[in-house]
């Protein structure tokens, strides 16, 4: 990616809803996710207002400051506060260009810098989502194992692969 095609992360707001709809309405993007493709702008606005804006760490993946995807890391409390779960999506027109790998590396660095209690970022990925496995491996995550019958994906119970990156494993 050259400077004219810069990948950055920034907060997503209701003003970005038209860009959000590009990936959120795409069945190819939703295939391995828990949500159905969005059918209305109103539902998307409600999601951005009720989930994205109050979320502890949710960022738009931007190409030249325009959102083309999203990445998030949850915040836990109590005995679970040392870890957060990462998730991401990218509009299908941009797949295969290294964009999410870059976004994952930036996000992990930012989260470890911002939250001193965090020692581990984890990601749970469908066993058949080979592109996402590869993203995490390229970003330095370790494949820990398969969690059997772990996740209900729109009515289907799925086996999930657990990946993690520790603060001590972070590299440029
Ligand atoms: C999975 C996803 C995030 C990948 O984003 P991306 O920007 O295309 O990823 P990158 O280009 O950084 O890397 C993709 C890698 O996976 C590889 N890949 C793609 N499809 C693959 C498959 N079915 N099996 C194995 N590897 C695959 C690519 O060749 C590439 O590896 P390489 O650089 O060694 O050639 C994107 O396709 C997406 O948003 N999918 C829909 C939402 C989703 O599944 N999110 C993850 C939920 S855990």
């Amino acid at each position: 990616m050259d400077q004219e095609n810069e990948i950055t992360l920034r907060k997503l707001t209701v003003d970005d809803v038209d860009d959000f709809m590009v990936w959120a309405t795409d069945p190819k993007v939703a295939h391995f996710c828990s949500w159905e493709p969005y059918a209305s702008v109103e539902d998307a606005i409600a999601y951005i207002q009720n989930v994205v804006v109050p979320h502890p760490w949710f960022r738009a993946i931007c190409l030249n400051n325009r959102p083309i995807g999203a990445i998030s890391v949850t915040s836990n409390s109590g005995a679970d506060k040392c870890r957060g779960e990462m998730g991401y999506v990218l509009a299908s027109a941009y797949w295969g260009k290294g964009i999410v790998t870059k976004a994952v590396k930036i996000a992990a660095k930012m989260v470890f810098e911002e939250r001193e209690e965090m020692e581990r970022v984890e990601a749970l990925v469908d066993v058949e989502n080979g592109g996402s496995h590869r993203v995490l491996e390229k970003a330095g995550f370790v494949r820990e194992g398969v969690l059997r019958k772990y996740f209900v994906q729109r009515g289907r119970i799925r086996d999930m692969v657990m990946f993690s990156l520790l603060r001590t494993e972070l590299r440029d």
Side-chain angles (χ1 to χ4, degrees):
M1 267 311 130
D2 53 35
Q3 274 192 327
E4 283 179 15
N5 289 311
E6 196 185 9
I7 297 300
T8 52
L9 306 185
R10 67 156 168 82
K11 290 198 174 170
L12 185 89
T13 74
V14 171
D15 293 341
D16 298 311
V17 68
D18 291 341
D19 291 327
F20 177 89
M21 289 298 279
V22 173
W23 72 81
T25 56
D26 184 345
K28 291 197 293 295
V29 173
H31 181 74
F32 287 114
C33 300
S34 56
W35 42 274
E36 294 284 353
Y38 280 71
S40 80
V41 180
E42 290 72 27
D43 287 351
I45 290 172
Y47 174 76
I48 295 171
Q49 281 174 337
N50 300 330
V51 178
V52 172
V53 172
H55 195 285
W57 209 91
F58 191 111
R59 297 288 182 275
I61 300 172
C62 295
L63 177 61
N64 302 327
N65 205 36
R66 183 155 188 188
I68 56 169
I71 186 162
S72 63
V73 180
T74 62
S75 194
N76 296 323
S77 59
D80 297 329
K81 70 178 181 184
C82 57
R83 62 185 161 86
E85 185 180 339
M86 179 179 277
Y88 40 73
V89 287
L90 186 71
S92 55
Y94 300 95
W95 288 3
K97 300 176 192 294
I99 292 174
V100 172
T101 302
K102 182 160 190 193
V104 167
K105 288 179 178 176
I106 297 170
K109 189 165 187 289
M110 288 174 78
V111 166
F112 281 129
E113 278 172 7
E114 289 171 20
R115 296 198 202 150
E116 62 180 24
E117 77 283 7
M118 285 265 300
E119 291 298 328
R120 166 190 168 103
V121 173
E122 61 190 24
L124 278 163
V125 185
D126 190 287
V127 282
E128 291 180 5
N129 193 352
S132 188
H133 296 184
R134 184 78 190 114
V135 160
L136 293 164
E137 284 162 1
K138 288 195 293 178
F141 281 61
V142 172
R143 180 187 166 112
E144 294 186 330
V146 175
L147 302 175
R148 298 176 298 163
K149 307 281 181 212
Y150 196 75
F151 182 70
V152 182
Q153 183 199 78
R154 284 177 272 141
R156 302 190 306 156
I157 302 180
R158 306 292 299 161
D159 292 352
M160 304 294 284
V161 183
M162 173 66 89
F163 288 86
S164 69
L165 179 75
L166 304 185
R167 175 185 289 280
T168 49
E169 294 164 345
L170 195 63
R171 53 175 198 251
D172 289 335

